[in-house]
Every structure is written in C-alpha cells, then in structure tokens.
Amino acid sequence: KPAVLFLWLFLCLRSVSAPGSPNRRESLADEMSPGLDGRSQRRQLSNRLHDLSALHPALSRAARAEVQAVTFDTDLAAGDGAYVVDIVLLRELAERGRQDKRYADTDVADVERLLEDCRGEVLPEWDALNDRITKRRGTGDELIADIRGRHTEDLATVSLALAQTYLETGSSPRAADLLKRVLDYKPDREDVARRLVAA
C-alpha cells in the first residue's frame, strides 16, 4: 500500500535526518493525514502501523510503535543484508572518510559498489508519494530536500576519500575520475581542483 510505504520511508528519512529525535504519535498522525480531525488521524495512523507490522520482518523490524512515539532503527533496517538502506550505509562511509581521509585497501571494492548504487537521485518516487498521501501539506518536501542535500555531501566526501586511497596506491587515473566527480558535486572546492591537477 502506498500509504504504508510512505510511512516507512518517512520514518527512515527522519531517523537519518535527525537521529534520536522521537516521532510523537500525534505529530506523526497529523503528518500522515493532514486536514483530518485528530481522532481520524490517530485511527488512520494505527491502521497503517498495523499494516506496517505485517510486512516482511526485513522491513517491519526497524519500526516500533509505542504508546507515545514511533521509533525507527536504521541499524535494523540496514542490518544482515536483508534490506539495505544505501543512504544510511553511505552516511556511515562518509563519516569514516571525514575521520580517516581514506579507506582500507580491502574496503575499496565495497566502497566503489556503494558509490555506484548511490549515484542516482535519492528516492525519485518520493515526490509522487508525498503528493498522493499528504497533498504536500506536511513536511515531506523539506525532509527530502535535507536528505538529498546531505546525500550530495556524502557522495562528495566518500569520493574524495576513495580518491585519496587510489592516489596512495598509485592509481592516479581512477583518482582523477573521482576528483572530477567531487567537483561535479561541489564546484567551489578549489582544493579538490588542485588535487585533480596534481593527479
């Protein structure tokens, strides 16, 4: 059901955008069914949460409905390889890249694979879903804009750290390709342009 998909994605994106922030049931009910009276909103949310809990465990285990709030665990959503949320994994790789400035040689193939998987637009189906479910009267537009902006930052960070890894192993052509990609994401990075010339 589109409404259940939208709820799952909204919870997932909120947990990526604002980790640890609670999703209060009342505000979530209003978000999912804007324009309805409070009682109808709460009933619809309860029905959608029930439908969500009936999904395959790879999806349903990440969301947990409590009396006052609904929580979402991105580790469970991405764990065990059963259902991988690429934007979550990319965020983790970007954090490692910011700290270490490179990746271990043994991680290069996995980083390359994830970069390739994440190059497209984040959730292109979101806009149609948001329009269908909420008529764009909630915070969905702001949420996806934040996620897409962060995703571009993460792609640039991971590409830069991977380029450094290749430079250190003497693979300048691949490093140059990655540095060009960073400049596509962040054209104002003069430091990256200088590294590209050096590569």
Side-chain angles (χ1 to χ4, degrees):
K1 294 181 180 179
V4 176
L5 173 61
F6 184 77
L7 173 59
W8 194 95
L9 289 173
F10 185 88
L11 291 168
C12 178
L13 294 182
R14 275 290 306 273
S15 68
V16 172
S17 177
S21 296
N23 296 288
R24 309 246 351 134
R25 281 185 82 123
E26 281 192 18
S27 60
L28 188 58
D30 185 49
E31 185 71 42
M32 295 297 111
S33 307
L36 295 182
D37 63 272
R39 185 175 179 182
S40 298
Q41 287 178 336
R42 291 189 294 274
R43 185 173 61 250
Q44 283 202 4
L45 177 62
S46 292
N47 290 340
R48 289 173 182 175
L49 288 169
H50 179 268
D51 291 342
L52 195 152
S53 68
L55 295 175
H56 189 283
L59 291 167
S60 64
R61 65 184 176 180
R64 181 176 174 185
E66 299 168 353
V67 175
Q68 298 294 328
V70 181
T71 58
F72 191 92
D73 189 328
T74 54
D75 290 336
L76 288 178
D80 300 331
Y83 190 91
V84 176
V85 181
D86 286 346
I87 58 174
V88 175
L89 298 177
L90 188 72
R91 172 67 46 84
E92 293 170 358
L93 270 181
E95 288 303 318
R96 282 177 45 202
R98 286 184 191 97
Q99 291 175 6
D100 302 337
K101 309 299 184 194
R102 71 178 315 279
Y103 297 108
D105 295 345
T106 53
D107 292 337
V108 166
D110 290 335
V111 175
E112 286 275 19
R113 199 163 26 251
L114 187 60
L115 262 182
E116 189 59 35
D117 290 345
C118 290
R119 284 185 68 184
E121 183 182 11
V122 175
L123 294 175
E125 67 273 23
W126 175 266
D127 296 329
L129 265 176
N130 188 29
D131 190 50
R132 178 174 178 177
I133 304 304
T134 71
K135 305 292 186 274
R136 298 195 174 210
R137 289 181 289 182
T139 60
D141 286 338
E142 294 86 0
L143 179 60
I144 197 65
D146 177 61
I147 291 293
R148 287 172 177 163
R150 288 168 182 249
H151 190 67
T152 299
E153 290 283 346
D154 291 343
L155 283 170
T157 299
V158 172
S159 297
L160 188 58
L162 186 59
Q164 181 60 35
T165 306
Y166 278 119
L167 284 172
E168 291 176 10
T169 58
S171 301
S172 295
R174 180 59 184 141
D177 289 341
L178 288 162
L179 292 169
K180 288 177 189 173
R181 193 178 295 175
V182 174
L183 289 175
D184 288 340
Y185 298 132
K186 309 291 289 180
D188 58 338
R189 291 286 302 267
E190 293 182 12
D191 60 318
V192 175
R194 289 193 293 270
R195 292 173 71 175
L196 176 58
V197 171

